[in-house]
Amino acid sequence: MILVTGGSGLVGRHLKDILPDAIYLSSKDFDLTDINRVHAMMDLFRPKVVIHLAARVGGILDNMTYQVEYLENNILMNTNVLKKCHEFGVDRFIGMISTCIYPDKVDTYPMTEEDLFKGPPTPTNFNYAFSKRCMVAHVNSYVKQYNKKWCYLIPCNLYGEYDKYEEHHSHLVSALIKKIYESDGSIEMWGTGKPLRQYMYGGDLARIIKYMIDNDIVDNFNVAPKEVYTVKEIINIGKKACRKDKIVVNYDMTKPDGQYRKDVDSSKLLSVLGNFKFTTLEEGMKKVYDNFSKRYNK
C-alpha cells in the first residue's frame, strides 16, 4: 500500500490523477504535528511506501510573518512521520524538499545536490528552509544507520491546476494567473522583476515520483527543467499564455524580491529518467489559466 501525506495539495492531487489506488490524506484526516495521530495513521493503514508531501508552505510574506510556525510545524511533521515510518517498517520513503533550502549564494550555478550545505539559505524563508534541511539530515541518517531505501526530491518552484490562490499562500505563477484573470488592464507585482527562477508544472513532478516507485529508483535528486527565467520573463510568458498581452505590469520595488537565484542542475535525475520531457512554461500556464477561469466562473 502507498500512503501520501499532503494528498490534497498541488502535487498530491496531480499524483492522484496517475496513481489513484494510493491512500491520500490531508491535515483534516490526521494532524502530523501530533505524534499520537501519526502513530494512529500508520497503525490504521500499515503502508509499505510513504510519499511525504505535507508541509506548511506559502509566499514570502507568510514566511516572514510566521517564522516560528514555519520552523516548528514542519520539523514536527517531518520528525513524527519519519519516526513512525521507521517503527512501522516502511520500505520506501520519498520526502519532498524544495530548492529554497539551497544556500542564498554560491560561486557556481546551476547548483548540484552537493551544494546543499555550502551556506545559509535566503533570509526571506530561512526557517522553512532549515526545517527542510533537517529532514534531509534525518533521511540521510536513517539510510546510513538502518540501510533504508529512503530518499528525497528537491524540486524547483511549482505551479499547477491544484495550487492555492489565496494571496498570503500563493507563489508567483499562481498569484500572476489570478491577477491576470481579475485585471482591469493593469496588475501590480512585488519587487524588481530581476530575480531568476525555474518553474515546473506539478504534473511533471507527479510523473517523476511514479516513475521512481515503478522502477525502484532510490536516490536524492534535484528536479527542475533546465530553463531559467527572470521574473519579468515569467510574467511576459504568463501574459502570452493567458492571451492578455496588453496588460500593463507595475512593479512595487518597495517589496522584497526574495532570493536572487536558486537554479539547480537536474542532470543526475535525467540520467535515470530516459526520455522524460518537461511541460514548457507557456504550455503549463495556459492549462492552469484555462482551468482557473472555469473554476472561478463557477
Side-chain angles (χ1 to χ4, degrees):
M1 178 184 291
I2 300 173
L3 185 148
V4 182
T5 70
S8 63
L10 188 159
V11 181
R13 293 178 67 183
H14 275 292
L15 194 59
K16 192 172 184 178
D17 291 340
I18 59 175
L19 200 63
D21 295 332
I23 302 296
Y24 293 85
L25 301 175
S26 74
S27 58
K28 294 179 180 179
D29 301 304
F30 293 92
D31 178 3
L32 300 185
T33 66
D34 182 343
I35 196 164
N36 295 317
R37 294 298 294 148
V38 178
H39 183 97
M41 176 184 77
M42 298 299 291
D43 192 36
L44 176 63
F45 294 108
R46 301 276 172 160
K48 289 300 180 184
V49 178
V50 170
I51 303 169
H52 181 42
L53 307 177
R56 174 158 185 165
V57 297
I60 292 175
L61 179 60
D62 210 46
N63 270 271
M64 296 176 70
T65 303
Y66 301 103
Q67 297 181 40
V68 172
E69 287 82 357
Y70 271 87
L71 182 68
E72 290 184 349
N73 290 351
N74 284 306
I75 285 181
L76 282 170
M77 282 190 275
N78 299 338
T79 300
N80 292 343
V81 170
L82 285 166
K83 184 176 180 66
K84 292 303 174 179
C85 281
H86 173 59
E87 290 181 9
F88 281 86
V90 169
D91 293 331
R92 290 286 311 274
F93 175 92
I94 301 177
M96 205 55 50
I97 317 294
S98 167
T99 53
C100 73
I101 74 171
Y102 273 102
D104 189 24
K105 296 177 183 178
V106 294
D107 294 332
T108 305
Y109 293 90
M111 294 179 284
T112 67
E113 291 82 357
E114 287 70 34
D115 292 322
L116 184 51
F117 292 103
K118 290 185 177 179
T122 185
T124 49
N125 59 4
F126 189 89
N127 288 24
Y128 171 80
F130 251 98
S131 73
K132 289 294 190 176
R133 284 191 181 190
C134 286
M135 187 163 78
V136 167
H138 210 161
V139 170
N140 289 341
S141 297
Y142 273 113
V143 170
K144 292 174 182 177
Q145 186 168 339
Y146 296 105
N147 198 31
K148 298 284 192 182
K149 293 178 66 177
W150 293 5
C151 61
Y152 50 85
L153 298 177
I154 312 174
C156 66
N157 294 315
L158 299 171
Y159 68 96
E161 290 90 338
Y162 306 118
D163 205 355
K164 297 177 180 178
Y165 293 93
E166 299 92 343
E167 185 173 349
H168 64 292
H169 280 304
S170 62
H171 296 93
L172 171 62
V173 169
S174 300
L176 175 62
I177 284 172
K178 184 179 181 183
K179 285 176 182 286
I180 289 176
Y181 182 84
E182 296 177 340
S183 169
D184 58 0
S186 66
I187 59 174
E188 182 179 282
M189 302 297 293
W190 277 25
T192 64
K194 295 178 180 179
L196 301 169
R197 293 288 182 268
Q198 288 167 305
Y199 262 92
M200 174 170 53
Y201 179 61
D204 291 350
L205 180 56
R207 288 192 292 135
I208 288 168
I209 293 170
K210 184 176 185 299
Y211 185 92
M212 288 180 64
I213 293 171
D214 291 345
N215 294 276
D216 200 29
I217 296 170
V218 183
D219 208 340
N220 309 313
F221 299 107
N222 288 330
V223 190
K226 65 179 181 180
E227 291 82 12
V228 182
Y229 300 104
T230 66
V231 169
K232 281 188 177 182
E233 288 173 332
I234 292 170
I235 292 170
N236 288 332
I237 291 170
K239 288 166 59 178
K240 181 179 179 183
C242 301
R243 300 171 292 280
K244 297 288 184 69
D245 293 286
K246 295 182 180 179
I247 285 178
V248 176
V249 182
N250 299 311
Y251 292 91
D252 183 353
M253 297 186 189
T254 66
K255 298 294 195 296
D257 270 330
Q259 191 171 5
Y260 176 66
R261 67 181 302 181
K262 55 176 181 173
D263 43 298
V264 296
D265 183 352
S266 297
S267 298
K268 180 182 174 184
L269 173 67
L270 294 174
S271 69
V272 300
L273 283 187
N275 296 318
F276 185 87
K277 299 294 183 185
F278 287 99
T279 304
T280 67
L281 184 57
E282 183 175 344
E283 176 189 355
M285 290 183 75
K286 183 179 185 302
K287 290 169 64 174
V288 175
Y289 181 79
D290 290 345
N291 177 270
F292 177 81
S293 300
K294 293 175 183 177
R295 289 165 55 194
Y296 198 90
N297 285 333
K298 288 181 180 179

